[in-house]
Amino acid sequence: MTDLIHRAAQALRSARKTIALTGAGISAESGIPTFRDPGGLWDRYDPEEYATIEAFRRTPGKVWRMMKDFTELKTARPNPGHYGLAQLEQMGFLRCIITQNVDNLHQDAGSRDVIEFHGNMRQVICQQCDKTLPLEDISLETLPPYCSCGGVFKPAGVFFGEPIPMHAMLRSQEEAQSCEVILVIGTSAVVYPAADIPRVAKEAGAQVIEINPERTDLTSGVSDFLIQEKAGVAIPQIVAAIRAMAS
Ligand code: APR
């Protein structure tokens, strides 16, 4: 394992530009359940009933109640994996993070350039007049919450069946096509178009380094190598290895 950590540290030190794509796995050690691991969110809630825009429009109150129950999201704190990526950015070895997560933990850990590919849950958008407010500015006493125009507020996360925010899509393509290394951390790489990002980087000549305790659809054909470890363990080790090389 340590030689893969050193291989990753070397790659980041010599790359002109490194980016990261993260998924729910990087927040697992913050207590937020992933979606597809055993016992994950989609074991408890049918995504067809809770995660599609059609389901939200059909039963907004039911979807809001599920999200309100999702207290882990409110109490979660960044873990060493998030802090490690923020350190790599500060050290100049990581340009940006493209995250599929909506938990804001990268920003809470100090990362500055974070592309929210699936939006975020910090804001709500009125489905009728598009008014956008911070989540904490609305009352969740009655669900679903209503806008003053009578429309229903929806969390600003991207539901299945909704488009990826255009700026996030364009910026992610641009970064993937121009990086020399992409770290792919904590994602099963089964949801598109996010799962395309490592392939776009690979086709543009980048080295693809996966960090995940499990193999994924990327591991054999796309990734150059897999550090089969938890993000909260592997990322701090990469940071330490870079520091040791620099001294
Ligand atoms: N460190 C790194 N990876 C981990 C850890 C950990 N501590 N724990 C679990 N993993 C890995 C799992 O092995 C799995 O490959 O994280 C991945 C989580 O996969 P998913 O649950 O499918 O999450 P993700 O890939 O982010 O899902 C993509 O699907 O439902 C939608 O919008 C949702 O953004 C989400 C998208």
Side-chain angles (χ1 to χ4, degrees):
M1 176 65 67
T2 46
D3 63 316
L4 291 181
I5 294 288
H6 278 91
R7 226 173 117 186
Q10 282 291 11
L12 265 66
R13 270 173 60 84
S14 48
R16 186 183 39 77
K17 175 157 97 170
T18 296
I19 67 173
L21 170 69
T22 64
I26 197 168
S27 297
E29 292 156 89
S30 297
I32 297 183
T34 61
F35 294 95
R36 295 172 184 82
D37 284 325
L41 211 63
W42 297 154
D43 278 352
R44 292 188 257 163
Y45 297 99
D46 177 355
E48 283 304 317
E49 280 189 49
Y50 289 96
T52 68
I53 188 60
E54 293 79 17
F56 183 82
R57 289 187 182 128
R58 198 171 50 242
T59 54
K62 177 178 168 187
V63 176
W64 267 105
R65 276 188 292 281
M66 179 273 269
M67 285 185 292
K68 204 176 170 189
D69 289 349
F70 200 14
T71 48
E72 293 97 331
L73 210 50
K74 284 194 222 58
T75 54
R77 291 284 167 270
N79 66 60
H82 297 104
Y83 287 117
L85 291 185
Q87 284 163 354
L88 287 174
E89 182 185 49
Q90 282 144 21
M91 293 157 71
F93 294 113
L94 183 67
R95 181 70 59 85
C96 68
I97 297 170
I98 303 167
T99 188
Q100 301 172 81
N101 303 338
V102 294
D103 54 32
N104 206 61
L105 291 181
H106 286 304
Q107 294 93 328
D108 292 348
S111 288
R112 301 165 66 86
D113 194 344
V114 180
I115 301 169
E116 295 182 312
F117 204 72
H118 290 160
N120 65 66
M121 290 301 192
R122 295 184 311 286
Q123 296 178 310
V124 292
I125 301 176
C126 172
Q127 295 300 283
Q128 195 140 301
C129 71
D130 278 345
K131 181 193 278 185
T132 302
L133 290 175
L135 177 64
E136 59 269 9
D137 284 8
I138 64 163
S139 156
L140 297 180
E141 278 311 302
T142 54
L143 297 176
Y146 286 96
C147 172
S148 50
C149 80
V152 172
F153 276 123
K154 181 185 86 66
V158 176
F159 282 58
F160 285 114
E162 283 194 294
I164 302 299
M166 184 54 74
H167 65 281
M169 189 68 169
L170 294 175
R171 175 89 201 281
S172 300
Q173 287 296 318
E174 181 196 307
E175 295 297 348
Q177 284 162 357
S178 60
C179 68
E180 286 182 347
V181 174
I182 180 169
L183 299 173
V184 182
I185 307 166
T187 183
S188 59
V190 296
V191 172
Y192 289 80
D196 261 335
I197 292 168
R199 293 175 172 86
V200 168
K202 180 88 178 178
E203 277 149 34
Q207 195 177 3
V208 181
I209 301 173
E210 254 191 303
I211 299 175
N212 194 322
E214 309 291 334
R215 298 174 63 80
T216 72
D217 289 359
L218 298 173
T219 307
S220 51
V222 178
S223 302
D224 289 81
F225 60 92
L226 163 67
I227 298 175
Q228 204 149 359
E229 183 51 271
K230 292 181 175 180
V233 173
I235 296 170
Q237 286 177 345
I238 293 170
V239 174
I242 290 175
R243 286 205 161 94
M245 290 168 188
S247 54

